[in-house]
Amino acid sequence: MSRNILLLPGDGIGPEIVAEAERVLARVNDRFSLGLNFDQALVGGAALDACDTPLPEDTLAKARQADAILLGAVGGPKWDALPMAKRPEKGLLGLRSSLELFANLRPAILYPQLASASSLKPDVVSGLDILIVRELTGGIYFGQPRGVRHLENGERQGYNTYAYTESEIRRIGRVAFEAARQRNGKLCSVDKANVLEVTVLWREVMEDLTREYPDVALSHMYVDNAAMQLVRAPKQFDVIVTGNMFGDILSDEAAMLTGSIGMLPSASLNSQKQGMYEPCHGSAPDIAGQGIANPLATILSAAMMLRYSLGEEEAANAIEAAVSQVLDQGLRTADILSEGTRKVSTREMGEAVLAAL
Ligand code: NAD
């Protein structure tokens, strides 16, 4: 069976980290006879420079045909002054909405080898293993109407719309309940139901889903409290489900609990399990081109891709074990460096994972 993998390196450190993940995928492809075919396309700023659009037709066509997509990151100061429709991020948002990638899975796992890299006390974070399920194609990032308008008094007003339909809430809820069922049967739904009507409905639908999943213990938390609890006692959480904007913020917060955003993979899936896999971090323009970025989040995203879109659990486990082994060897990129460990470049980290495989 052959499967098509589309690589979208993007901008900044994207090409450097995707190159390492591609080498790792090529290695497991040989070792486990996975039948993967690789193709590559432009997205984000790189696509703007070449084709004057952040999401060229050719990229979208290849993405639709791919079984899975591995993305680096998009964006950077070079494109920050462009009008909103031409921002690199529009490429990403366009892919998410065109492929209906409504479910974003972001694990926040603290590798025991990196416990000291967290800014929190080791006893607060050690053993941390949270999964944040974020709705990705609805909510305030996509709601209409939106824009900046002139008011009668001459002042300008910026506005966005925060809306969710019942079916949008229900389908992301199901993904989260399923995930909780496969883990420890605990799900916390995060909303702002004391202020926002849209999240009153969110809470109602989540409650309703407990009839389908009586084995999962559902709780609710307001987003401001969730932000506090994540740094106070993060291990109380197992699976968290929330809307697009709250999930964006909380998953970055959870990322920092683990010490480095350079370690965290993510998956965005549609109802056919086609998925786009990418590290949680951005394009890190401050370190782009220096060969020092941490490629592990992207390599771990490739492992998630094998697991969730291709059903290749054994190959996924092999990559994750190789990453753990490399950390055991004391190899660290600059972002996760600590006393007694050895600093390596992006390429050296990739080489070490290959060697461990
Ligand atoms: P960022 O995640 O790019 O960087 C934040 C900090 O973390 C920086 O100091 C960076 O050097 C560091 N960092 C990030 N990834 C790293 C890695 N793999 N190894 C080592 N250090 C790493 O976030 P930002 O600075 O807010 O955004 C930079 C650009 O990326 C912006 O244009 C933003 O729009 C874009 N962005 C893209 C995505 C995406 O493509 N999914 C996500 C977030 C931000």
Side-chain angles (χ1 to χ4, degrees):
M1 189 182 15
S2 86
R3 272 86 60 95
N4 296 326
I5 308 301
L6 180 64
L7 304 171
L8 299 175
D11 309 317
I13 60 170
E16 302 165 47
I17 53 181
V18 169
E20 297 314 314
E22 184 182 6
R23 293 193 316 141
V24 168
L25 278 172
R27 176 66 58 89
V28 291
N29 193 23
D30 287 345
R31 185 170 139 194
F32 296 94
S33 305
L34 302 178
L36 306 183
N37 299 316
F38 298 98
D39 198 357
Q40 201 156 324
L42 296 172
V43 72
L48 273 164
D49 287 352
C51 322
D52 202 33
T53 165
L55 182 57
E57 271 307 313
D58 168 66
T59 301
L60 190 54
K62 284 178 173 174
R64 286 190 204 281
Q65 277 165 17
D67 293 282
I69 300 162
L70 185 68
L71 175 102
V74 298
K78 183 176 174 192
W79 305 281
D80 276 352
L82 291 174
M84 202 54 103
K86 285 224 161 158
R87 290 282 179 81
E89 292 77 7
K90 280 283 168 190
L92 204 58
L93 298 179
L95 278 169
R96 287 176 187 164
S97 56
S98 303
L99 302 177
E100 286 189 71
L101 303 173
F102 69 89
N104 185 217
L105 274 53
R106 291 191 175 204
I109 296 170
L110 187 79
Y111 284 82
Q113 302 94 322
L114 300 180
S116 65
S118 173
S119 52
L120 297 191
K121 295 185 196 111
D123 62 305
V124 176
V125 287
S126 71
L128 184 76
D129 183 354
I130 303 177
L131 178 68
I132 298 190
V133 179
R134 166 189 169 195
E135 201 290 327
L136 204 56
T137 52
I140 197 163
Y141 291 175
F142 290 91
Q144 295 287 348
R146 61 191 297 159
V148 178
R149 61 191 162 201
H150 288 270
L151 299 178
E152 277 175 9
N153 67 5
E155 210 188 356
R156 286 182 305 157
Q157 182 191 49
Y159 60 100
N160 291 86
T161 303
Y162 189 4
Y164 270 120
T165 62
E166 221 174 326
S167 59
E168 284 176 315
I169 302 169
R170 202 172 291 278
R171 70 177 180 177
I172 191 69
R174 287 206 174 99
V175 172
F177 273 94
E178 295 284 343
R181 180 174 264 178
Q182 280 165 17
R183 291 166 52 106
N184 297 322
K186 257 178 69 183
L187 175 63
C188 179
S189 171
V190 171
D191 61 38
K192 190 70 184 169
N194 51 343
V195 179
L196 299 169
E197 285 80 356
V198 50
T199 69
V200 173
L201 179 66
W202 177 282
R203 194 176 273 222
E204 268 176 43
V205 174
M206 289 295 161
E207 263 314 314
D208 194 42
L209 280 170
T210 56
R211 288 188 292 150
E212 279 175 48
Y213 301 91
D215 49 327
V216 173
L218 174 71
S219 59
H220 304 276
M221 198 178 275
Y222 296 140
V223 63
D224 43 348
N225 188 24
M228 285 197 295
Q229 295 300 329
L230 268 176
V231 287
R232 194 188 71 84
K235 283 190 273 183
Q236 70 185 282
F237 297 107
D238 184 15
V239 180
I240 292 176
V241 63
T242 189
N244 205 342
M245 179 169 61
F246 297 161
D248 190 3
I249 298 165
L250 293 181
S251 58
D252 271 12
E253 188 187 354
M256 276 325 290
L257 299 177
T258 69
S260 171
I261 199 158
M263 292 299 300
L264 295 171
S266 78
S268 307
L269 303 170
N270 64 21
S271 40
Q272 289 87 48
K273 297 251 161 85
Q274 186 195 22
M276 183 159 80
Y277 297 81
E278 55 181 309
C280 286
H281 57 72
S283 59
D286 52 333
I287 58 165
Q290 297 176 30
I292 59 171
N294 188 344
L296 293 179
T298 316
I299 291 171
L300 291 167
S301 300
M304 283 186 93
M305 176 171 97
L306 292 167
R307 175 172 297 123
Y308 288 107
S309 282
L310 307 178
E312 298 290 353
E313 184 72 25
E314 201 187 346
N317 288 339
I319 293 177
E320 286 164 356
V323 167
S324 192
Q325 201 177 319
V326 163
L327 294 175
D328 279 340
Q329 290 162 9
L331 304 184
R332 304 281 189 272
T333 42
D335 56 310
I336 49 174
L337 194 67
S338 60
E339 230 179 273
T341 60
R342 184 157 79 78
K343 189 167 159 183
V344 294
S345 66
T346 309
R347 179 40 63 108
E348 286 166 330
M349 187 57 103
E351 290 287 344
V353 175
L354 284 177
L357 274 168

